[in-house]
Amino acid sequence: MKNKNKVFTFSLVLSIILIFGILIYLKTATGEKYNIDAEKESIKEVLETFIKDDYNYNGGKNDFSTVGNENLKKYLIARNAVKYTNHKSSYKKVLSQKFEFDYKDFSKWGDCVKVNVYMDENYSYEDEDTGQINKDAGAGNDYIVYLSKVDGEWKVMSATID
């Protein structure tokens, strides 16, 4: 009976050591590869460029320098074409835009950083049919954007607008 207790105790201790070793390995292998607080400014820069150039209320330029997902690029091409067509059919030409960002939350989400930001876009446009200029147009939206490091640079992998 003493041998069984020794074998059981030895097996239990060995199992605990093995489990902790595996947990430590997994934490190291899948752990945070970056410090969000230390990289907030570079994340903000990429996110703001993305929204201004490719994903704002009025459409985008299809620049994609900040996009790291081919499917998102395809979606944005289609979305921005629809925005362009809508503006064209309503004889609306955007003259200027001003963006203000209010960051709500930065959090780690798997291998990505999830950013929740409210963006207020004020713009002026010309009604090409009448020539009238409207200087007080605007839209505000909540964005949730997922960014990941690709070759050492932040890239947008997914984005939604509420």
Side-chain angles (χ1 to χ4, degrees):
M1 193 72 167
K2 275 187 168 184
N3 282 341
K4 285 185 179 182
N5 284 341
K6 286 181 183 179
V7 169
F8 175 76
T9 303
F10 177 74
S11 297
L12 182 63
V13 169
L14 185 61
S15 297
I16 291 171
I17 291 171
L18 186 61
I19 288 170
F20 278 111
I22 291 171
L23 289 175
I24 290 170
Y25 170 77
L26 289 175
K27 176 67 176 159
T28 304
T30 61
E32 194 169 304
K33 297 175 181 144
Y34 41 81
N35 180 332
I36 293 173
D37 288 332
E39 301 215 35
K40 264 188 187 173
E41 291 308 311
S42 61
I43 292 168
K44 285 180 180 181
E45 184 179 321
V46 169
L47 184 142
E48 290 178 17
T49 299
F50 166 71
I51 291 174
K52 290 175 185 178
D53 289 352
D54 294 316
Y55 199 46
N56 63 68
Y57 174 78
N58 283 301
K61 303 172 191 169
N62 293 341
D63 172 51
F64 305 135
S65 64
T66 59
V67 179
N69 178 336
E70 290 302 315
N71 289 328
L72 180 57
K73 288 179 187 178
K74 290 175 186 175
Y75 164 76
L76 289 169
I77 289 169
R79 174 196 181 270
N80 292 340
V82 168
K83 291 280 188 177
Y84 176 77
T85 301
N86 285 340
H87 288 332
K88 204 72 170 152
S89 67
S90 63
Y91 305 103
K92 179 178 165 185
K93 178 181 176 185
V94 176
L95 301 173
S96 66
Q97 294 171 291
K98 181 182 174 198
F99 303 92
E100 293 179 25
F101 294 87
D102 181 16
Y103 290 90
K104 307 289 184 194
D105 182 48
F106 288 78
S107 59
K108 185 159 173 38
W109 191 266
D111 287 341
C112 294
V113 172
K114 176 184 173 187
V115 181
N116 183 346
V117 61
Y118 181 82
M119 193 272 302
D120 191 32
E121 176 182 355
N122 295 298
Y123 58 95
S124 64
Y125 68 91
E126 177 183 3
D127 181 328
E128 292 180 313
D129 194 33
T130 65
Q132 187 174 7
I133 294 177
N134 184 334
K135 295 181 180 180
D136 298 322
N141 293 294
D142 278 308
Y143 290 77
I144 296 176
V145 181
Y146 295 85
L147 301 98
S148 188
K149 280 246 175 147
V150 177
D151 297 328
E153 294 183 15
W154 289 106
K155 296 289 184 179
V156 175
M157 304 310 280
S158 176
T160 59
I161 302 174
D162 264 345

